[in-house]
């Protein structure tokens, strides 16, 4: 089992920045890819960014160039630095961790981009 806890969400003005953090606990040795997903009201959950254990990254086109995912294996953490935020980035952001057999989710943290 892997437990994930996100933090860092909040209200930010358009053009602003936020940094999300996610700490993993439990069977962390089995984690391969970690990532961030988001779900806006009335929409399906979508990929934001992923990072492999070897730090290979993947971003959705909508955040490429604005968001940066990073991972600290020693601290069992994954981060999402979000710059140049737009109102359409408003969503609940979920941390995800994958093993060879399972996919685990945190409870999410709300990011609201509004003036």
């Amino acid at each position: 089992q892997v437990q994930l806890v996100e933090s860092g969400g909040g209200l930010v003005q358009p053009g602003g920045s936020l940094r999300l953090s996610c700490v993993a606990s439990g069977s962390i040795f089995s984690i391969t890819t970690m990532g961030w997903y988001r779900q806006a009201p009335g929409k399906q959950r979508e990929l934001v960014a992923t990072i492999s254990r070897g730090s290979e990254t993947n971003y959705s086109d909508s955040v490429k160039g604005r968001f940066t995912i990073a991972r600290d294996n020693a601290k069992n953490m994954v981060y999402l630095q979000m710059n140049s935020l737009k109102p359409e980035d408003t969503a609940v952001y979920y941390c995800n961790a994958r093993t060879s057999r399972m996919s685990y989710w945190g409870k999410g943290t709300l990011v609201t981009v509004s003036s």
Side-chain angles (χ1 to χ4, degrees):
Q1 292 284 339
V2 173
Q3 295 79 43
L4 302 170
V5 178
E6 305 97 335
S7 61
L11 173 64
V12 63
Q13 292 187 341
S17 298
L18 277 178
R19 187 195 194 205
L20 305 184
S21 300
C22 172
V23 59
S25 61
S27 301
I28 55 176
F29 61 90
S30 61
I31 296 174
T32 55
T33 300
M34 298 189 75
W36 291 94
Y37 291 72
R38 66 186 182 187
Q39 187 167 17
K43 295 188 176 181
Q44 290 187 331
R45 192 173 297 188
E46 63 176 6
L47 168 73
V48 176
T50 62
I51 185 167
S52 72
R53 196 166 185 86
S55 296
E56 293 180 356
T57 59
N58 178 52
Y59 295 93
S60 70
D61 288 342
S62 61
V63 307
K64 203 170 292 184
R66 300 188 298 123
F67 292 10
T68 302
I69 190 169
R71 180 171 177 172
D72 186 334
N73 292 326
K75 295 182 178 180
N76 307 315
M77 296 197 70
V78 62
Y79 307 95
L80 186 68
Q81 177 66 43
M82 305 186 293
N83 299 329
S84 303
L85 282 160
K86 305 175 182 179
E88 51 263 44
D89 293 318
T90 295
V92 177
Y93 285 71
Y94 296 92
C95 181
N96 174 263
R98 297 180 196 170
T99 69
S100 60
R101 295 184 177 185
M102 297 287 290
S103 181
Y104 297 92
W105 297 92
K107 293 183 178 181
T109 185
L110 177 63
V111 172
T112 303
V113 185
S114 175
S115 55

